[in-house]
Amino acid sequence: MPILVTGGAGYIGSHTCVSLLKKGFEIIVLDNLCNSKENAVKCISRITGKDVPFYPYDLRDKESVRSVFEKEAIEAVIHLAGYKAVGESVREPLKYYENNILGTLNLLECMREYGVRNMIFSSSATVYTGALDKASAKALTEESPLAVTNPYGRTKLMIEEILRDLHQSDPVWNIISLRYFNPIGAHESSLIGDDPNGIPNNLMPYIVQVASGKLEKLNIFGNDYNTKDGTGVRDYIHIMDLADGHVAAMKKLNDCGGGFTAYNLGTGQGYSVLDIVNTFSRVNGVEIPYVIAPRREGDVDTCFADPFKAEQELNWKAMRNLADMCRDSWYFQQSIS
Ligand code: NAD
Ligand code: UFG
């Protein structure tokens, strides 16, 4: 029976669909294409040689979501659909609450109506960042304090709480929340990758556009953080490792009889912005001109995962290194330039 992947045409969703199909799972994609293109769904089919039923529906339109459950015998849902730009969420909080929260509520109601109780939810390391202690840089475990600093992060934390309540109300609900750290890179085919609209917010999409000459230089947001070289440290993870993490979580979901559990998906290794710039230049032979700019509001010094729980319980571990991530990001950018 198929898995419904909401947001399956997006960056993380398209790679996750490839991993699932390669491991023999059947999938259906629902995506309103507000931040992706239908071509990504075609590329998933091209890479895997499998058909991908696609519904270009909006989660906020409950009747159309219900029609998918009516038509298809869905066994589980991987829920990635949502808005994700932190800065925009501060300027337009209602847009974020409406899309991320209302979309999730509609989806959960349809799942309940059609007896589908298995879900993997796309959460984020952002659920920890509001509680980070600036004086210390410790790996974040799933037990680390949770606190957020912006409406986007609040939607992730709220949805986790909704899911926890749901499981408490009916223990048959079987839910895994995956807290992603910083995915970068692309599938080795370069057919799918991260291709944001407009000027990129995130580091790697910005770097590749500087490398291709589309943008003039990188602005490094602050070099006075309490880190080895003063620039922000994050846990970058190859998108295909992250995608494989969903396969591992789906296998775990199939083995358990109900619960709500959160897992970090990260490598456990922190790299600074300068590490990324230097590795990208070395691996790809392209210089990245940069200037030091003021700090970006809301950024923290250091954020990296303790991935032990996922290793132990999901039998999953990130395998690719930073050079792989930089190389695959650049190959993808060249393929679309
Ligand atoms: P993305 O924007 O590439 O993918 C999200 C997809 O959801 C898009 O294809 C978009 O068209 C679709 N979508 C949005 N609202 C929808 C709606 N109402 N109905 C149907 N489809 C809708 O983003 P991504 O990077 O692939 O992120 C996927 C998920 O992972 C998001 O929930 C995001 O918050 C979360 N996440 C991402 C990161 C990251 O660094 N990329 C980190 C942590 C968590
Ligand atoms: N950075 C720059 N210049 C840029 C962009 C980013 O110096 O043009 C720096 C940031 O200051 C930070 C690092 O690069 O130190 C990473 O920034 P990103 O924007 O790529 O990633 P964030 O860690 O800020 O946030 C991302 C997603 C969030 C998610 C979080 C999870 O945007 O949605 O990872 O860790 F919640």
Side-chain angles (χ1 to χ4, degrees), residues 223-250:
N223 67 349
D224 56 353
Y225 284 107
N226 184 20
T227 59
K228 62 171 185 173
D229 58 25
T231 65
V233 167
R234 297 290 183 275
D235 187 336
Y236 297 91
I237 174 169
H238 195 290
I239 185 70
M240 288 313 298
D241 281 327
L242 193 83
D244 292 345
H246 293 74
V247 173
M250 192 45 76

Side-chain angles (χ1 to χ4, degrees), residues 11-12 31-32 34-36 58-59 80 84 99 152 156:
Y11 175 46
I12 299 173
D31 196 307
N32 68 357
C34 67
N35 198 36
S36 52
D58 191 316
L59 282 181
L80 301 114
K84 61 167 186 177
N99 194 40
Y152 162 70
K156 292 290 166 193

Side-chain angles (χ1 to χ4, degrees), residues 20 109 116 162 184 216 221 245 265-266:
L20 288 164
E109 276 165 6
V116 182
I162 290 169
I184 57 173
E216 190 193 339
F221 298 140
L265 293 187

Side-chain angles (χ1 to χ4, degrees), residues 6-14 30-37 55-61 65 79-85 98-100 103 121-126 152 155-156 178-184 193-195 202 239 242:
T6 76
Y11 175 46
I12 299 173
S14 56
L30 182 153
D31 196 307
N32 68 357
L33 304 177
C34 67
N35 198 36
S36 52
K37 299 181 184 80
Y55 293 90
Y57 295 167
D58 191 316
L59 282 181
R60 288 166 294 187
D61 176 1
V65 179
H79 176 36
L80 301 114
Y83 294 147
K84 61 167 186 177
E98 198 231 4
N99 194 40
N100 295 7
F121 171 60
S122 283
S123 189
S124 165
T126 197
Y152 162 70
T155 66
K156 292 290 166 193
L178 296 177
R179 295 177 181 156
Y180 311 146
F181 282 69
N182 294 52
I184 57 173
D194 197 4
D195 183 17
N202 296 116
I239 185 70
L242 193 83

Side-chain angles (χ1 to χ4, degrees), residues 84-86 123-127 129 152-153 156 180-184 200-207 218-222 225 231-236 271-273 295-296 299-301 303:
K84 61 167 186 177
V86 173
S123 189
S124 165
T126 197
V127 298
T129 48
Y152 162 70
K156 292 290 166 193
Y180 311 146
F181 282 69
N182 294 52
I184 57 173
N201 294 305
N202 296 116
L203 181 63
M204 186 53 86
Y206 204 104
I207 287 179
L218 172 70
N219 296 299
I220 295 185
F221 298 140
Y225 284 107
T231 65
V233 167
R234 297 290 183 275
D235 187 336
Y236 297 91
Y271 288 106
S272 71
V273 178
R295 287 181 177 204
R296 185 172 64 179
D299 273 357
V300 294
D301 302 50
C303 176

Side-chain angles (χ1 to χ4, degrees), residues 33-237:
L33 304 177
C34 67
N35 198 36
S36 52
K37 299 181 184 80
E38 190 171 350
N39 186 46
V41 182
K42 297 201 173 91
C43 288
I44 298 168
S45 289
R46 226 172 114 188
I47 293 167
T48 59
K50 307 239 169 95
D51 281 343
V52 180
F54 174 56
Y55 293 90
Y57 295 167
D58 191 316
L59 282 181
R60 288 166 294 187
D61 176 1
K62 194 168 166 189
E63 280 317 308
S64 67
V65 179
R66 182 181 277 123
S67 72
V68 179
F69 281 84
E70 182 64 35
K71 186 159 172 227
E72 308 274 1
I74 294 163
E75 185 182 22
V77 175
I78 301 185
H79 176 36
L80 301 114
Y83 294 147
K84 61 167 186 177
V86 173
E88 184 185 50
S89 80
V90 175
R91 291 189 302 274
E92 295 188 66
L94 295 182
K95 178 173 168 180
Y96 275 68
Y97 292 123
E98 198 231 4
N99 194 40
N100 295 7
I101 304 290
L102 183 63
T104 301
L105 290 177
N106 284 343
L107 177 65
L108 290 169
E109 276 165 6
C110 291
M111 288 176 70
R112 188 179 53 183
E113 195 178 323
Y114 286 84
V116 182
R117 297 287 190 271
N118 297 318
M119 175 183 252
I120 293 175
F121 171 60
S122 283
S123 189
S124 165
T126 197
V127 298
Y128 301 116
T129 48
L132 284 180
D133 173 2
K134 291 216 179 319
S136 68
K138 286 204 207 98
L140 292 157
T141 74
E142 290 76 0
E143 305 311 315
S144 295
L146 301 179
V148 292
T149 56
N150 56 70
Y152 162 70
R154 203 155 286 119
T155 66
K156 292 290 166 193
L157 197 50
M158 274 182 194
I159 293 169
E160 283 204 6
E161 283 166 359
I162 290 169
L163 296 175
R164 201 177 279 111
D165 287 343
L166 199 55
H167 168 254
Q168 214 134 43
S169 74
D170 178 358
V172 176
W173 280 92
N174 198 9
I175 301 165
I176 288 180
S177 182
L178 296 177
R179 295 177 181 156
Y180 311 146
F181 282 69
N182 294 52
I184 57 173
H187 185 262
E188 59 185 8
S189 64
S190 291
L191 287 170
I192 50 175
D194 197 4
D195 183 17
N197 297 330
I199 304 217
N201 294 305
N202 296 116
L203 181 63
M204 186 53 86
Y206 204 104
I207 287 179
V208 292
Q209 292 200 13
V210 172
S212 71
K214 247 175 135 176
L215 293 168
E216 190 193 339
K217 57 183 183 309
L218 172 70
N219 296 299
I220 295 185
F221 298 140
N223 67 349
D224 56 353
Y225 284 107
N226 184 20
T227 59
K228 62 171 185 173
D229 58 25
T231 65
V233 167
R234 297 290 183 275
D235 187 336
Y236 297 91
I237 174 169

